[in-house]
Amino acid sequence: DIVMTQSPDSLAVSLGERAAINCKSSQNISYSSNNRSYLAWYQQKPEQPPKLFISWASTRESGVPDRFSGSGSETDFTLTITSLQPEDVALYYCQQYFSGWTFGQGTKVEVK
Amino acid sequence: QVQLQESGPGLVKPSETLSLTCTVSGGSISSYYWSWIRQPPGKGLEWIGYIHYSGTANYNPALRSRVSISLDTSQRQFSLRLTSVSAADTAVYYCARSKSSSSRSPFDFWGQGTPITVSS
């Protein structure tokens, strides 16, 4: 199984400031042949299902604000929120879909 | 807009079998992979397994011996059976759809989730 490890477990950021969440996979989840990384990011708010925010490591879903961006390749990935807004308070999960599907343990983003 | 809705018993006794159904509306059930995912209270997400409209199923190795997923295209439903449940199976159970016709894609549509408690 591919193990996904996120850091930090929680993050408190002032409104308008930058937040960054890291995700590391236990093996390479990128294909050089198609230059794609099989990595997604989800946002989950209380009592709601996860919502797909980013796929292919850096492709935002329709309707996701452009303050959210994803980067990385192979085993190291980052979700960045450039200017934290109150509505961004949530849990964020990374997920690999290179081999089956496994999720990171989640990162809680709060307002400082 | 695709919508998924889980239905289930809410409470299951230890050692019994958990059965859940997901009803799909608003889109085609063909060409996609349909998965079950669970989330124990206060914990992260665990993929349980999928079924493809062709009938092919694949399961999380950690649960494979206890899980089966089936598909009823005429009813636009897919179902989960988890045998010999214990308290460790207490979780919110979600059904979800893979974004593309490839098994290598994330989940773009999710049900709201149904909480399942295993207790006598």
Side-chain angles (χ1 to χ4, degrees):
Chain A
D1 278 9
I2 299 176
V3 178
M4 307 300 289
T5 304
Q6 292 179 229
S7 61
D9 289 334
S10 64
L11 184 59
V13 175
S14 300
L15 291 175
E17 296 299 307
R18 176 180 173 274
I21 301 168
N22 299 305
C23 176
K24 191 172 184 68
S25 58
S26 61
Q27 63 187 70
N28 187 349
I29 56 171
S30 301
Y31 264 145
S32 56
S33 58
N34 61 8
N35 201 31
R36 283 189 154 184
S37 296
Y38 292 70
L39 190 283
W41 289 97
Y42 295 83
Q43 178 193 69
Q44 186 180 33
K45 294 186 176 181
E47 310 305 318
Q48 293 184 21
K51 179 181 178 182
L52 180 62
F53 256 42
I54 287 174
S55 57
W56 305 115
S58 60
T59 303
R60 274 191 307 275
E61 294 298 296
S62 174
V64 173
D66 60 7
R67 62 181 179 273
F68 289 88
S69 65
S71 63
S73 65
E74 296 191 352
T75 61
D76 292 284
F77 302 90
T78 302
L79 175 69
T80 303
I81 311 171
T82 52
S83 175
L84 190 75
Q85 301 301 305
E87 60 267 31
D88 302 335
V89 170
L91 273 165
Y92 292 86
Y93 292 93
C94 63
Q95 176 208 38
Q96 66 81 20
Y97 47 97
F98 182 86
S99 175
W101 295 268
T102 48
F103 296 86
Q105 80 276 19
T107 296
K108 186 175 185 180
V109 174
E110 300 172 300
V111 175
K112 186 187 291 183
Chain B
Q1 178 78 341
V2 176
Q3 293 186 322
L4 292 84
Q5 180 65 58
E6 305 90 350
S7 56
L11 180 65
V12 184
K13 289 183 168 54
S15 80
E16 294 190 343
T17 295
L18 167 64
S19 295
L20 297 175
T21 296
C22 181
T23 302
V24 180
S25 60
S28 173
I29 202 164
S30 300
S31 303
Y32 292 99
Y33 289 79
W34 303 93
S35 283
W36 287 98
I37 299 118
R38 69 181 182 178
Q39 186 171 33
K43 295 189 178 180
L45 298 156
E46 179 181 36
W47 172 73
I48 299 169
Y50 73 64
I51 188 150
H52 186 246
Y53 87 103
S54 65
T56 301
N58 193 15
Y59 307 119
N60 185 326
L63 298 168
R64 183 169 289 145
S65 64
R66 299 195 292 129
V67 173
S68 64
I69 300 176
S70 59
L71 178 67
D72 185 339
T73 54
S74 66
Q75 296 294 319
R76 301 176 60 80
Q77 294 178 335
F78 61 106
S79 299
L80 169 72
R81 286 184 80 249
L82 181 65
T83 62
S84 304
V85 298
S86 69
D89 296 310
T90 294
V92 175
Y93 284 74
Y94 296 101
C95 55
R97 190 194 82 167
S98 290
K99 186 177 179 183
S100 79
S101 58
S102 167
S103 62
R104 282 181 160 168
S105 60
F107 305 125
D108 60 347
F109 288 102
W110 295 64
Q112 284 300 305
T114 186
I116 297 296
T117 300
V118 178
S119 175
S120 54

